[in-house]
Structure formats: structure tokens, C-alpha cells
Amino acid sequence: MTDQQPTRVVGGILRHPFLSGFLLTLGGLAAIALGMAITNVSTVLVYIAFALFIALGLNPLVELLQRSGLKRAWSIVIVCVGVAVVLAGILLLIIPTVVDQVAQFVRSIPERIAAFESSDAYLWLSEQFGDQVGAFLDDAQRFLTNPVNLAVIGGGVLQVGVNIATAMSGVLIVVVLSLYFLASLPSMKVGLVRLAPARSRQRVLGLAETIAASIGSYLGGMVILALINAAVSFLLHVALGLPFPQLMAVLAFCVTLIPLVGSVVFWVIATALALVTNPVTALIFAIAYLVYMQLEAYILTPRVMSRAIEVPGLLVVIGALVGGTLLGLLGALVAIPVTASILLIVKQVLIPRQDAKTDGSAGALDEGDADAQQHKRRGRDADEQAGAEPAGA
């Protein structure tokens, strides 16, 4: 019966080639249309994913206030107001200083390049590479000090304005969606659990709770580690007399949010900028920040990420690369919690099912072996009886 089914399908296609081709074409066109629709709403999907992860990151604070006796609505209000006040204070303290330091940095480019050209590092580079070093510095100075080039990088003045407006509207959409998600997380969990069979709902609920708690802990831990990186960068720049400490602290916070490679990327950028100021100071900064990176990797990260799901290093690298390629910075940020969630589902759902199948197949093999042995014994008994009959006769 099983062998005849593919034959019947092939025979039906051969008897009705036009209809079969038409249906296959419709299926292909429907798949293409679905792919184009997903591509067109990709920005909305990114907003939804970003808002959901923000809600999961704030949910542990809301649950902490709930455990103290407050209702969820008031807990959400307190958490959101607290986060808004903290962000507003940080922005008011940092943005004016950062804007001023960016302007100072642009104005000081010729002076810093001239100072670098009189240093021993420039003489060594000139001896190794010849006049190409001087030509490269001249081209870099002309490019960076020309505002037209900066506008071209952003796509022109009009495009810069459009990008700013798009970013502001995106932030507003993400904030509104985050509030909705944060308020409806319990009902979303209940709805997710009700999609599962009744016998598995308790297990699905536990799995959903574990994933939500782990993602929230991970995102909160990443923000804490980024803040520590920013504070260390600021203190090192102030202690060593390096320029633009506030600007570098903001850069450290943004870059070190990238998992796995963020600290290394900032270390390279900050050391290269410090090298223009003073090679000796740059060396001291590189060593000091490298020591901090080891402390962060072996002491701070295990403590801060104690509640997050552990993910093997290879999967961290693969997840960060895939997420960054698909969704840029957002993809790199959410790649590890998504990878951890998939790994948790595999460990708690797929592997137990496979183990159960292995046990069943082993039992079936044992039963098959027993049947084969019993059949052999019957065959031997029949042979013995057949050989005994002539002797009796």
C-alpha cells in the first residue's frame, strides 16, 4: 500500500500535466509573494522584536516590585518612570558635552595630525612605508575637515534629516510597543500555553518562564556590563589625561553592547585614537584596558550573567555573526538570547523525545532478537525430531 502511493501521485501528475503545472506555479508565486511581503514589513518586524526584548529586559524589575506587594500596573508605571528619568538625566548630562567634544575633535584634527607627524612613531612608519604615510594623513585630514564629505557620508542634508525623523518615529513606536508588551506579558504567556496540548501545558509554561527570565537577565546584564565599560573608559581617559573622556565613555557603552567582540572593538578604536595623542599613554591605556577585559571575562560576566542561559562559545560566535549579518546591531544584540532559547528548547524538548525514541527502538531490537532466537530454537527442535524418527523406526 505504501509503495503504491508515490506511483499514484506520479500517475496523477502525468495524466493532468497542465493542472499540475498550474498548481505548482501558483504555489511558487504564493511563496514569492509571501517573501516580498515579509521583506516589505521587515522594519516593522525589527521594531516588534526590539520592543519585545526591551519588555523582557524590564520584566524582572516589574516582577520584583510585584513580589513586594504592588499591583502589576503600578509596578510598570514605577519602572517606566524610573527608566525615563534615568535616561533623561544621562542624556542631559552627556549630549551637550559629547556634541562639544565632537566639535573640538573635528577642529583639532590638523593639530593632532601635525603632532603625530613629529613623533617617533611617524618616523618609524615613514621608514617602513615611505611617503605613503604622509599622503594618507593628508588625504584623511582633507576628508575629515570638509563638512561636505560628512554630509555625503550621510547621503546629503535632506537624507540626514529624513534619517533623523525615521529614527525618532522608530523610537516612539518601539517605546509604545514595549509598554504594550510589558503590560500583556502574562496574558501572552497564557495564550502561548493554551496553544499546546493539555498534557504538555505545564511543561510549556515552565519553558516559557525560563526563557523569559533568562532573556531578561541577559539583556539587563549586558546593559550593566556596558555601563561598567563606559565608567572604566571614562576613568582611564581622565587619569591618563587622554582627550574626550565623555565621548569615549558614550562610545564604549554603545560598542560594548555588542556581544563577544564589543570590548575588543572598543579597545582597538580607543587605543588607535590614544596613539595619535601620545604613544606611551596609548600603550598604558591598552595594557590597563586589556587587564580590565580579563577581569570582565572571568569575574564580572559570570556574576552578572549568573541567571542567564549558558551558551557554548562556538554558538555565541555563530549566533552573533548570523544576527549581525541579518539585522545589523540589533541582530547582534538579540542573537545570543535567541540562540540560548533555541538551545533550551532543544535540550528540554527535542533531546528527551529522541532519547525516548532510542529507548523504544532498543526495546524493539531486543524483542526482535528474542524472536529470532526462539525461531532458531524451534528450527533446531524440528531438525532433531526429523533426525530421531528413522532411529525410532
Side-chain angles (χ1 to χ4, degrees):
M1 190 71 175
T2 305
D3 296 336
Q4 293 178 356
Q5 289 178 354
T7 305
R8 292 178 179 177
V9 173
V10 174
I13 294 176
L14 293 177
R15 285 194 300 268
H16 306 284
F18 180 79
L19 179 61
S20 301
F22 181 74
L23 293 177
L24 290 174
T25 304
L26 285 180
L29 292 175
I32 294 174
L34 180 61
M36 295 177 62
I38 294 175
T39 303
N40 292 331
V41 299
S42 59
T43 304
V44 178
L45 296 177
V46 169
Y47 289 160
I48 294 173
F50 206 2
L52 181 59
F53 276 93
I54 290 176
L56 291 173
L58 296 178
N59 190 56
L61 297 177
V62 175
E63 292 181 347
L64 180 63
L65 293 178
Q66 281 186 276
R67 287 193 292 269
S68 64
L70 291 175
K71 294 183 178 180
R72 184 172 182 85
W74 284 109
S75 301
I76 293 174
V77 171
I78 293 173
V79 170
C80 293
V81 170
V83 171
V85 170
V86 171
L87 289 178
I90 293 174
L91 292 177
L92 290 176
L93 289 175
I94 291 178
I95 286 182
T97 305
V98 170
V99 171
D100 183 59
Q101 290 190 355
V102 169
Q104 291 180 11
F105 175 76
V106 174
R107 289 195 298 266
S108 65
I109 288 175
E111 179 183 353
R112 295 187 179 280
I113 292 179
F116 179 70
E117 289 177 345
S118 62
S119 64
D120 296 333
Y122 176 79
L123 294 177
W124 180 81
L125 291 173
S126 298
E127 292 176 358
Q128 298 296 323
F129 302 101
D131 297 335
Q132 296 179 359
V133 180
F136 174 76
L137 289 177
D138 292 338
D139 293 339
Q141 178 178 346
R142 285 194 298 268
F143 184 84
L144 294 175
T145 54
N146 190 354
V148 176
N149 293 328
L150 299 179
V152 171
I153 293 176
V157 178
L158 180 60
Q159 186 62 37
V160 170
V162 172
N163 292 336
I164 293 175
T166 303
M168 293 179 63
S169 62
V171 169
L172 181 60
I173 292 172
V174 168
V175 169
V176 174
L177 288 176
S178 300
L179 292 176
Y180 276 110
F181 283 141
L182 192 59
S184 59
L185 273 180
S187 60
M188 291 171 61
K189 293 178 183 178
V190 172
L192 177 64
V193 170
R194 293 190 66 182
L195 294 176
R199 64 179 181 275
S200 305
R201 286 177 182 175
Q202 195 63 32
R203 185 179 180 183
V204 173
L205 178 60
L207 189 63
E209 293 286 352
T210 303
I211 291 176
S214 299
I215 293 176
S217 300
Y218 170 79
L219 296 177
M222 287 298 297
V223 173
I224 292 173
L225 291 176
L227 288 173
I228 296 175
N229 269 283
V232 170
S233 173
F234 177 79
L235 293 176
L236 285 177
H237 277 76
V238 171
L240 297 176
L242 293 172
F244 315 115
Q246 290 91 343
L247 176 62
M248 297 308 295
V250 174
L251 181 63
F253 177 80
C254 297
V255 173
T256 53
L257 283 174
I258 303 174
L260 191 68
V261 298
S263 299
V264 178
V265 171
F266 175 75
W267 176 65
V268 173
I269 295 174
T271 303
L273 293 178
L275 185 64
V276 178
T277 302
N278 190 332
V280 177
T281 307
L283 179 62
I284 296 173
F285 173 84
I287 295 174
Y289 196 80
L290 187 62
V291 171
Y292 164 74
M293 288 170 59
Q294 303 305 312
L295 294 176
E296 180 188 57
Y298 293 102
I299 297 178
L300 294 178
T301 300
R303 293 179 180 273
V304 173
M305 298 293 189
S306 59
R307 292 187 59 194
I309 305 174
E310 295 183 358
V311 183
L314 179 61
L315 293 182
V316 171
V317 175
I318 295 174
L321 290 176
V322 173
T325 302
L326 294 177
L327 298 176
L329 178 59
L330 175 61
L333 291 177
V334 304
I336 294 181
V338 170
T339 304
S341 302
I342 295 174
L343 185 63
L344 182 64
I345 293 173
V346 170
K347 286 182 177 180
Q348 295 194 10
V349 178
L350 182 60
I351 292 179
R353 288 185 178 180
Q354 296 301 107
D355 291 341
K357 291 180 181 179
T358 301
D359 295 337
S361 61
L365 289 175
D366 293 339
E367 293 177 359
D369 293 339
D371 293 338
Q373 292 176 2
Q374 186 177 4
H375 180 70
K376 288 180 180 179
R377 283 196 300 269
R378 291 177 179 175
R380 286 196 301 268
D381 294 341
D383 293 338
E384 291 177 358
Q385 292 176 1
E389 287 180 357

